[in-house]
Amino acid sequence: MVSYFTIDAIGEVTNFQKEISNMMHGFGDNPNPNAATVVLVENIVLQQLRLILQEALNNSNMRGGKAISNYDIIYLMRKNPMKLKRLHDYQIKLDQIDKNRSSVSGVPTSENLISNIIMEDEKDPTIKKRRTHIDVIREIDEFSEVSQFKFDVIDYLRKVRAAKITESMSFEKYEAYHKARCSSFRSSYGLGKGFVKLERWINPNKELKITLMALEILCFIAYETVAELVDAVFLTRQDAKKKNGDPYSKFEGGHFCNPVSLNNAVYIKSGYEGVPAITVAEVREVLRRYFSPRVGMNGLFYRNMCQDLPVRFIAI
C-alpha cells in the first residue's frame, strides 16, 4: 500500500496516520489497527477534503469571495440536515469547551478577542461581524429542518458501541482507549495554531486561501469521514452474518437492534480484544457499495444515463 503523503514547499512530510490510527481504535477498531488500512483511510480522507476544497473554491469564486470561508463549505452540506445538525451541536460544544478553558486558565478565547475588536470598531459601519457556523446554518436552513432533529442517532450508536467495548476494560486499557477517543485533526488548541498541520496537509503549496473557520469545518468533516468508514465496516460485517432462510440472523449481535439492550447493540464482543482489525478489503467493499450506481428498477436505465455523475462526499 502506497501512502500519498503531502510534502510542503519546505520539503517537510505531513501525514495523519498516527491520529487516524487512534481514531479508528476509538470508533471500535482493534487497538492495533492494520497499517495498510490506516494508510488507505488517510488517502481517502485527503482525497475527500481536496475535492471539497475544489467545490468550495468554485462557490467562493461565484460569490466573489477572496478566500474559502465556512459559508462555502456549509453550502455543500445543505442537502444533509442531519450533518448540519451535528455541525451545529459540534460548534456549541467547542464554544463551551473554550469558555471553560478560558475561565480556568484566564486566557482569552478567539471569540472574546474578536468581540473586543468589533467593540473597538463599532463606529465604522463597514466592519461586519464574522458569521459563525451556527449563523450560516440558520441562514441556509430556510425551512428549519435542522431544528427538527431532536435526537442524534449517529452519536447515540457510537456511544453505545463505546460502552460495549469498555464494559470489561481495566483502568490501563481504558486510559489508552480514552486517549484514542480524544484524537482529532487539530494539532493544538491555540488561537492560530490549531489547524496548522491540517492546512499544511491539504494545502501544502499555499495555493488556496482558507479561513480559520473553514479549516475548523474541514477538521470536523475529516473526523466524520473516518467515523463513517468505520461505521460502514461494521455494517458490512453485519451483512456477512446473514444466513439463507433466516431473515433475523444478521441481527444476532448486529449494529441495529433494540436500543434498550446493550448486549446486542454492536457487532463487537465484550472487551476490545475480541475485535478483528479492519482490513483493506473491508474498506474497499465499503467504497464499492457507496459509490456503486443505483440498483433495482432505476438500475435498468443506468447504462443510458450520462456518465458525468456528481461528486459524492462520504461525510456530507
Side-chain angles (χ1 to χ4, degrees), residues 108-118 191:
T109 61
S110 58
E111 183 179 356
N112 294 335
L113 290 175
I114 294 170
S115 62
N116 292 336
I117 295 173
I118 294 174
L191 176 60

Side-chain angles (χ1 to χ4, degrees), residues 6 10 59 69 87 103 110 112 125-126 129 131 136 145 155 172 178 206 213 221 224 235 239 287 297 312:
T6 300
I10 306 177
N59 294 336
S69 67
L87 177 60
S103 62
S110 58
N112 294 335
T126 61
K129 183 179 179 181
R131 290 181 297 179
V136 176
E145 294 180 272
D155 183 63
E172 291 77 10
H178 173 70
K206 302 291 184 179
M213 301 189 74
I221 293 176
E224 283 293 310
L235 287 176
D239 289 341
L287 296 178
M297 295 185 62
R312 299 187 65 186

Side-chain angles (χ1 to χ4, degrees), residues 151 156-157 160 163-164 167 255-266:
F151 179 71
Y156 174 78
L157 290 174
V160 168
K164 179 63 178 177
E167 65 181 4
H255 187 78
F256 294 105
C257 66
N258 183 359
V260 178
S261 173
L262 286 179
N263 293 328
N264 295 325
V266 287

Side-chain angles (χ1 to χ4, degrees), residues 5 48 278 281-282:
F5 50 78
Q48 289 279 296
I278 295 176
E282 289 176 323

